[in-house]
Every structure is written in C-alpha cells, then in structure tokens.
Amino acid sequence: MSSLADTVLLNANIITVDDRFSLAEAVAVAEGRILAVGTAAEISAFAGPDTDIHDLGGRTVLPGFVEAHGHPTAEMNFLGPDCIDIRAVVCGTAEDVLRKIRDAVAEAGPGDWVVAFGWDPLLLPDLPPMSGRLLTELSPSVPLSVMHYSAHSSWANDAAMDRLGITADTPDPAGSEYCRYDDGSLTGEGKELPASMILMGPKLEVNDKTFNRYLASQLARMAVAGVTATGDLAFHPGSHGPVRSFFDSTDAPVRIRAYEMSTPAGPARSAGADEDPMFRQVGAKVWTDGSPWIGNIETSFGYQDSPATRSIGLEAGHRGCSNYTAQELLAIGRQYVPAGWQLACHVHGDIAVDMVLEVVQQLQAEFPGTDRRFRLEHCGTITAEQIRRAHGLGITVSFFAAHIHYYGDVLIELFGERAQAWTPAGAAADCGMKFSLHNDAPVTPENPLLSMQVAMTRLTQSGVLLGPEFRIGIEDAIRSHTIHAAWQLFSEHEFGSIEPGKFADFVVLDRDPLQTPAAEVGSIEVLQTWLAGRLAHQTTVIRAAACLGDEKCS
C-alpha cells in the first residue's frame, strides 16, 4: 500500500467501531483500503499533491452498514420491472392491490405470465381470502402468480399450474409443500421454498438478458440506505456464474456474502474456493420453520382469537410445525458442516429453536475444532434462556427487529402477551453475544438506521412499547449493523470498522447517532456511501477542499 493517500476525509466525526469504540477526525485511504485514522494533523502527513481531499464539515462517518440477512438476488426480481409490487406499504388499500393485478392481466399479451409480490392481509385485512381459485377468477387464461410478502407462501392460478406441469400427483419439493384440499386436489398454494418460488414461474428465475441490469439496480438501492455489504440468504447455486460475471464487469456499490439454499443432497460448491472481496459464498441457509404471518412456525403457544388471526385463515389456538424433523435437519447439517460451510437456520418458533439448538450441539460434537459461527435467523419467539444457551454453544443470532415497527401492533393481536418478548435483542446484549439486526428485504425495506431505532425503542407504529427490558443501547445497535454483522459473515477482517488495513467502506450521515434521541435515529439521513475509497452514492454533494489542518477551505 502506498505511503501517500489517494483520498482523505477531513473535518469529520468518525465513529470507528473499533474495540474501544474510539472517535477520530480524519481518515486516509490508499488503493481502496484505510491507510490511517486519527486527528487532522496526523492524517495531513499522508496527503500529497494528487490526494483528493474531502472536507466533511463535521458530519458523522461510520463504517458502511452491513445487512447480515438480505436477499439481493431474489429482491432484484421481486421488486424488478417484471414483477408487480403489491406490498401494503406501496399500495395502501386492498382495492389498489386488486386493481394492479387486474390491470396487469388485462394488459398481458399471448405467452405472458403475470407475477406480483407482497400480498399482505395483515396490514390490508380487506383483501379477499387468497387461493388459486381466486387467481383463476381474476385471470381465467393468463398465468398469474402472487407471492406473500414474507416469501414463505405463493399462489398460482390454473393456467400457471398447467404451464408448470404441476398436478395432484406431483411430489412436494424437500422442505416445502404444494397445499391440497381434503380430497387431494391442489389449492394452488405453495408453502416454503422451493415450492413458493416454483409457483412464481420463470419470471423469477435467473435471466441472462436482465440479470446484470436488475442486480445493479438492486445494489444501488441498498447503497442509498448506506449498505456496503450484504448477506444473500436465499442464494440459488445457479446464480453463482452470473453473479461472478457481474462483479467481474461492474464497479458494484455493495459486497455480497452468499448462503446457498440448502438441500438434502448437500452443497453445490466446495468451501474455501473463493476469496474475492466483492462476492463469495460463506454458508448455506435452511428454513427450519416458516413465517408467523402464515401460521407455520412451531411454538409452545397458540394464536389468539382476533381479527388478525382470522385474516390469515387461522383459528384461535392454532400452532404450526417445523419444516423438518430433528433427524432431517441433522442430516442436512451433516452434508454442509463437514464440507466447511457455515449453517444459517431460519427459525421463529420457540419449539423449533430448541430443536435447532439440539441439532447444532450434536453437529458440534460430531465435527469439533472449527470456528463454525452457526447462525439463528429472525428468532421471533426465542426466549432469553434460549439465547443464553445459544451463546454458550457459540451460536450467534441475527434479529428481525423491524417486525416490531411494521407489525408490532399485529403481533399483539396474534400472540397477546408473547408479543412483548418478540426478537429480544436485549437478552443477547446482556450475555455478550455478537448479534446483528437485519431488514430481510424485500420483506421490509433496507433501512439499517430504522432497525437500530426499533431495537433501541421497541415501539410499534402506534407507539405501543413491547418488552422494554429487551431494548439495546446505541453502541450495541451500531455494532449490530457493522462489525458484528461483518463477523457473522466471516468478514470482520475486511470491513465493519474503520481501522488501518480494512477496506475503506464508509457511510456519511447528517447527524451523530450517539447524540441523537433513540426515537429519531431512523430519521438520520444517509448523505454518502463509500466502497473501497470510491463514492458509491451521494444525496448531498460535500465539496472537496485542497486544505488540511487549520487552513481555511475555499
């Protein structure tokens, strides 16, 4: 690395997120990496005649945000131009949703397939009960597929099922199902991946003609939120080649760490074969149970009798189940763990959490001696005791705290008192766990600052406080979207803090989160996003200045 800086960020409030959570005034960058961090006087020694100097005017700099649990190669299709966005946060009313679907069917040409993402009867309870029959009524001849906003369920009309060749005799894909009526006929619904993806048809499959454009648009959207690295926790092995080609040919604004969708057959690739700093596979994802919004999470308690429960087609007292037995989950782990892959387990229900903990403990006994960093994802109903046990086993958690903001009021209707302890990140902080927060986009929009706010306040949109004992502080909130998230992705040596030798991945904010009330952190504006010393996004032009130290900038 050069002894002179290519770029200097000067007159900044730099929160380094190093071990001491220290502050600095300036940072020097050379060849995409951090050369030095310190005072303006210290950093001036690294500036030469060709150094690009940016006076930030006292603005706050953090490490680039890390989205530990995202789905960029899926979201680029779900929210791409070939898919209708019918999420409640976009449409606003049930009639808007149905109008969008009807209009798309009316405009469809021969051979077209209409797909829509974001069906949400919880936030839009006026929506009719969803089924394949409803979609056939809306579109008798044009294939039509609709996905629930959680992506854990989708539906297809008769024309789509015919095009896919799925009949009552078609076997269920491993870990998922094609739902059936009592007489054995298909309802048109697919629950859990891969069934839910299969029913969406070819428009959500990898397409060589649109892949680069869609992924570039998706990563640019993430950079706007200050994200510089993301996990991809539903990565299709067939996407490996196209994603590799994309990064080889593009100055992308966001790094990807991929987790392929697990199968009983085991990994599609060998571990440790790729050390590219922009894109690499680090693990595998398994969906232990499903989504609280469709009722297939395995809990020790039932759903409440409420309009919200009835709106998703469930009865009072309903309890879901896991997608796998302990032995089936263990068999999958035995395929991936000895092959060197990290295992990330989607799990919401407390009974399902117990099963995962038992299985991981068994896998650790069978394959000891390696830093596996087993992950639990989302963890809606995990208990504080289970968190302590997980920490003792060396297991880490990524919490979907944003649920509290978007669906906290609904959670109270669905689960009553059990909603108080939803995603209890504070219990992880109390025991010293390196945990992360995530948005699980496209389920909720990428917004790390809002996730931090929610984990600190635990306030629903209506202002109800859920489980105040599980709130976290600002330093833990920042770590959860920077260094701890990077650690979960096996990338803490590359990014997640502002320290010499690491990549110059930064986010510039209009306010200091350390000095901002917790309830306002989500409204902090991302002004710039830097990746490897390159400006990847900016909403405000912060002028460059040919000055250092105490000299005035002109």
Side-chain angles (χ1 to χ4, degrees):
M1 188 182 296
S2 170
S3 60
L4 290 180
D6 301 323
T7 303
V8 165
L9 302 186
L10 183 69
N11 189 18
N13 171 41
I14 299 174
I15 303 172
T16 66
V17 199
D18 62 9
D19 290 341
R20 296 177 290 112
F21 219 82
S22 57
L23 304 179
E25 298 175 340
V27 58
V29 176
E31 300 174 12
R33 291 184 182 267
I34 298 167
L35 184 60
V37 185
T39 66
E42 291 168 339
I43 298 306
S44 65
F46 296 96
D50 297 323
T51 299
D52 187 15
I53 300 170
H54 293 255
D55 185 327
L56 297 187
R59 293 175 177 88
T60 294
V61 178
L62 281 172
F65 295 136
V66 181
E67 177 75 359
H69 186 121
H71 302 283
T73 56
E75 186 180 6
M76 71 179 195
N77 287 317
F78 293 159
L79 298 183
D82 286 342
C83 192
I84 307 164
D85 186 355
I86 57 170
R87 291 179 297 173
V89 294
V90 173
C91 290
T93 69
E95 183 52 39
D96 287 341
V97 170
L98 296 174
R99 176 183 50 77
K100 272 192 169 185
I101 293 173
R102 292 190 188 103
D103 288 350
V105 170
E107 295 168 4
D112 281 352
W113 191 314
V114 177
V115 293
F117 173 80
W119 188 263
D120 188 351
L122 282 172
L123 294 189
L124 299 177
D126 292 339
L127 285 170
M130 173 54 81
S131 67
R133 290 173 179 170
L134 172 66
L135 297 187
T136 298
E137 291 175 9
L138 292 171
S139 180
S141 58
V142 176
L144 170 62
S145 300
V146 172
M147 180 170 276
H148 190 268
Y149 72 92
S150 71
H152 285 265
S153 185
S154 65
W155 299 264
N157 68 348
D158 288 348
M161 299 294 274
D162 289 344
R163 185 86 63 90
L164 290 167
I166 297 173
T167 69
D169 296 325
T170 302
D172 292 334
S176 62
E177 66 172 320
Y178 300 127
C179 298
R180 291 167 169 82
Y181 294 112
D182 290 341
D183 64 3
S185 61
L186 294 171
T187 69
E189 180 180 7
K191 281 189 175 180
E192 295 303 324
L193 297 169
S196 62
M197 285 295 292
I198 292 171
L199 291 195
M200 295 301 288
K203 278 197 173 181
L204 295 195
E205 295 175 357
V206 173
N207 184 323
D208 291 341
K209 294 180 180 178
T210 60
F211 193 94
N212 281 11
R213 178 165 56 92
Y214 279 24
L215 185 53
S217 176
Q218 170 58 28
L219 296 185
R221 180 163 49 227
M222 300 186 81
V224 169
V227 174
T228 55
T230 181
D232 190 330
L233 277 88
F235 190 76
H236 192 289
S239 296
H240 195 278
V243 173
R244 165 58 53 221
S245 296
F246 169 83
F247 278 104
D248 286 345
S249 61
T250 306
D251 285 332
V254 179
R255 308 177 193 276
I256 291 179
R257 300 293 179 262
Y259 293 71
E260 73 175 45
M261 294 183 284
S262 64
T263 70
R269 296 176 55 80
S270 299
D274 193 349
E275 285 299 316
D276 187 278
M278 288 301 297
F279 167 68
R280 77 176 70 116
Q281 183 176 333
V282 297
K285 166 79 172 294
V286 59
W287 284 262
T288 310
D289 64 356
S291 167
W293 319 128
I294 64 174
N296 59 342
I297 63 173
E298 190 169 16
T299 57
S300 62
F301 53 91
Y303 282 69
Q304 301 287 299
D305 184 9
S306 70
T309 297
R310 292 188 289 275
S311 75
I312 56 176
L314 302 180
E315 297 179 353
H318 171 84
R319 298 187 188 186
C321 61
S322 293
N323 297 322
Y324 301 96
T325 66
Q327 286 304 309
E328 289 170 336
L329 188 59
L330 185 60
I332 290 175
R334 285 170 174 159
Q335 292 279 9
Y336 287 91
V337 174
W341 293 118
Q342 181 191 26
L343 202 61
C345 296
H346 166 118
V347 60
H348 266 301
D350 58 330
I351 290 180
V353 170
D354 277 336
M355 178 177 68
V356 173
L357 295 178
E358 291 294 331
V359 167
V360 169
Q361 189 167 8
Q362 178 65 30
L363 290 170
Q364 289 174 328
E366 292 181 14
F367 310 106
T370 303
D371 182 10
R372 304 290 187 189
R373 301 185 195 179
F374 289 94
R375 290 177 51 172
L376 304 184
E377 309 299 307
H378 308 324
C379 298
T381 71
I382 194 171
T383 66
E385 181 181 355
Q386 288 174 323
I387 287 173
R388 289 190 290 270
R389 183 184 175 196
H391 183 53
L393 291 171
I395 301 170
T396 181
V397 176
S398 188
F399 291 103
F400 195 175
H403 267 171
I404 294 171
H405 174 76
Y406 291 100
Y407 294 94
D409 296 309
V410 172
L411 285 168
I412 297 169
E413 284 197 63
L414 295 178
F415 299 116
E417 188 63 25
R418 294 303 293 248
Q420 293 293 320
W422 197 263
T423 58
D430 289 345
C431 68
M433 177 185 287
K434 294 178 180 178
F435 66 91
S436 69
L437 303 174
H438 63 257
N439 293 111
D440 196 27
V443 178
T444 66
E446 288 92 354
N447 195 336
L449 287 161
L450 180 60
S451 287
M452 295 179 200
Q453 173 183 307
V454 174
M456 288 189 289
T457 66
R458 295 186 61 85
L459 292 174
T460 72
Q461 288 206 57
S462 70
V464 175
L465 174 60
L466 295 182
E469 68 271 28
F470 298 120
R471 290 178 292 196
I472 65 174
I474 183 60
E475 290 191 9
D476 281 324
I478 290 173
R479 289 188 178 97
S480 73
H481 260 299
T482 56
I483 191 62
H484 287 173
W487 177 83
Q488 287 185 337
L489 300 177
F490 283 87
S491 294
E492 74 277 11
H493 61 293
E494 299 172 295
F495 51 77
S497 63
I498 301 177
E499 299 180 86
K502 291 191 176 183
F503 288 113
D505 297 355
F506 312 129
V507 60
V508 181
L509 306 177
D510 75 334
R511 279 176 284 161
D512 181 353
L514 298 178
Q515 304 300 323
T516 301
E520 298 176 13
V521 166
S523 63
I524 293 174
E525 185 180 0
V526 173
L527 302 178
Q528 293 182 340
T529 305
W530 294 73
L531 189 89
R534 171 175 54 87
L535 190 60
H537 162 76
Q538 67 176 2
T539 56
T540 298
V541 176
I542 300 174
R543 59 196 172 85
C547 65
L548 281 171
D550 294 326
E551 298 175 20
K552 282 193 173 182
C553 302
S554 58

